[in-house]
Amino acid sequence: MTTKIHAVVDALGNPLRFVLTGGQCHDSVTGYEMLKQMDLTKKQVLADRAYDTNRILNLLKEQSATSVIPSKKNRRKPRKWDKEIYKERHLIECFFNKVKNNRRLATRYDKLACTFRAFLSLASIMVWLAYQGILDICITSYNKQRNIFNVCCMREHIRVGWSLLY
């Protein structure tokens, strides 16, 4: 069983939304559905070659968004794209690196998609909080029977614990 995580991040690399699909699902199909739900007016959309489809490009044009997507090798007329702006695409890879620091996500310990998604949500929240400088959080344990995450918060040498029911 394989799972793909499709994610959208902001200009700072913080997660905005994500979707889980089966490993056999193509990136451009899910990418189109995710982009269709967003307001992309006057924004730049950076993506890799897998997202270079006419459907996505037409959607971006309709929403007055700038596409910074390199052309696929098999495209007859390669499009121009800004290589300097494209370098900022590393932020999505940095997000996946931060999330996959949790061994549980990197190795897909969870059998059910709902528990995998719950832990991914928690890891995304941790990325946001770490960016904001609000909290240093670590997950101490997970009770599978009751679906509760035990979370530990460290702030100015004060340790507080609480449980999150998902």
Side-chain angles (χ1 to χ4, degrees), residues 1-163:
M1 170 171 57
T2 61
T3 304
K4 278 189 186 177
I5 303 170
H6 304 270
V8 177
V9 299
D10 63 6
L12 300 171
N14 296 318
L16 297 176
R17 61 181 58 187
F18 59 85
V19 175
L20 296 178
T21 62
Q24 73 279 6
C25 185
H26 195 274
D27 295 343
S28 65
V29 175
T30 307
Y32 176 78
E33 295 301 322
M34 291 175 73
L35 291 173
K36 189 168 71 168
Q37 298 170 2
M38 298 180 71
D39 178 27
L40 302 170
T41 308
K42 309 248 177 175
K43 296 193 173 148
Q44 296 175 331
V45 177
L46 287 70
D48 63 10
R49 292 179 198 273
Y51 297 92
D52 179 35
T53 63
N54 291 334
R55 245 176 115 191
I56 290 176
L57 295 173
N58 290 337
L59 175 69
L60 296 178
K61 189 179 279 187
E62 287 171 10
Q63 293 198 19
S64 302
T66 306
S67 68
V68 185
I69 304 172
S71 297
K72 286 184 182 176
K73 301 279 185 194
N74 63 353
R75 192 173 275 279
R76 290 188 183 172
K77 290 184 182 176
R79 293 176 303 99
K80 294 186 186 231
W81 49 282
D82 192 336
K83 292 180 181 179
E84 289 301 312
I85 294 174
Y86 186 73
K87 289 178 183 177
E88 295 300 315
R89 199 185 72 78
H90 78 282
L91 292 169
I92 186 76
E93 303 301 333
C94 291
F95 164 71
F96 282 120
N97 187 25
K98 290 174 192 171
V99 166
K100 288 189 176 182
N101 279 334
N102 298 300
R103 206 169 107 199
R104 178 181 183 153
L105 287 176
T107 57
R108 183 75 184 349
Y109 282 161
D110 298 310
K111 300 283 185 224
L112 300 176
C114 62
T115 55
F116 185 71
R117 188 179 311 115
F119 195 82
L120 181 60
S121 298
L122 189 58
S124 297
I125 290 168
M126 290 168 45
V127 169
W128 266 102
L129 292 175
Y131 169 73
Q132 298 293 332
I134 297 172
L135 300 172
D136 292 325
I137 296 179
C138 66
I139 297 171
T140 56
S141 65
Y142 172 66
N143 185 334
K144 205 173 212 174
Q145 284 76 28
R146 296 189 315 176
N147 210 16
I148 295 176
F149 292 102
N150 293 317
V151 180
C152 170
C153 160
M154 298 293 286
R155 174 90 178 178
E156 297 173 8
H157 306 293
I158 301 170
R159 185 177 174 135
V160 180
W162 70 93
S163 297

